[in-house]
Amino acid sequence: MENNPFYMRLPRNGKEFFLFMVVISLISVNIIAPVITFYEAGVSWDVYIGVLQKLILIWPCVVATVLITYKPAGFLTSKITQQGDGFRSCITINILCTVFLMSIILTIIGAMIGNGCISSEPFEMFLYRWPRNFGISLGVELLIAQPIAREVLHRLHLKTDSGKAEAA
């Protein structure tokens, strides 16, 4: 693994996974939730302020959904990729699988949080909302959240690895 040039961009332990998850989830909820809400309710400061107030409920749901979908997404990724596939292709497929599973769950939960009640409406509107939510989420994950989180890990590993080299 250490010979893999992308080893520097992957979590190496539980603390780094936690950091990686926090960075991705904070970026994601602060972009995805407002964009989806703007599609539903229109673009205005009042709508944006309303989204910000709901983020305190949405963010823990996102983190829980990451933890719930982590292993199933890994399983799906292993069924699509093969030994010897490149790092970028494996990561892209993993992001695709993770966003696929998470967007199914969060399309329903997010609508309930946004509406402030548990109802059948998110299920009734699911086929209308989910493709849009999936596309928005996939774009944010592929182009913004994951690259930033991987760069955070890269810089952390550069710092910690250079500290270990100096100590040796």
Side-chain angles (χ1 to χ4, degrees), residues 1-8 10 12 87:
M1 186 76 171
E2 291 185 41
N3 293 334
N4 182 337
F6 297 101
Y7 176 68
M8 296 293 284
L10 295 170
R12 297 179 184 171
F87 176 82

Side-chain angles (χ1 to χ4, degrees), residues 12-82:
R12 297 179 184 171
N13 56 46
K15 287 180 183 178
E16 290 180 7
F17 177 77
F18 178 78
L19 172 65
F20 187 69
M21 184 176 54
V22 167
V23 171
I24 288 174
S25 63
L26 284 174
I27 293 169
S28 295
V29 298
N30 280 287
I31 297 173
I32 296 169
V35 170
I36 289 172
T37 305
F38 290 158
Y39 273 105
E40 292 284 324
V43 179
S44 73
W45 282 110
D46 290 338
V47 170
Y48 184 65
I49 298 301
V51 171
L52 292 179
Q53 292 169 345
K54 303 273 181 169
L55 287 183
I56 193 130
L57 297 172
I58 294 170
W59 185 62
C61 292
V62 169
V63 171
T65 305
V66 167
L67 296 174
I68 290 167
T69 61
Y70 180 74
K71 286 189 179 184
F75 175 78
L76 285 173
T77 301
S78 73
K79 293 299 179 189
I80 297 169
T81 59
Q82 298 177 7

Side-chain angles (χ1 to χ4, degrees), residues 62-63 65-66 69 97-107:
V62 169
V63 171
T65 305
V66 167
T69 61
C97 293
T98 301
V99 171
F100 173 75
L101 295 173
M102 288 184 64
S103 65
I104 290 170
I105 296 167
L106 290 171
T107 293

Side-chain angles (χ1 to χ4, degrees), residues 91-128:
I91 289 299
T92 301
I93 296 297
N94 183 262
I95 292 169
L96 179 66
C97 293
T98 301
V99 171
F100 173 75
L101 295 173
M102 288 184 64
S103 65
I104 290 170
I105 296 167
L106 290 171
T107 293
I108 295 166
I109 292 173
M112 288 182 185
I113 292 171
N115 294 336
C117 67
I118 297 173
S119 70
S120 63
E121 190 268 346
F123 297 98
E124 294 165 1
M125 297 298 293
F126 181 81
L127 292 177
Y128 168 75

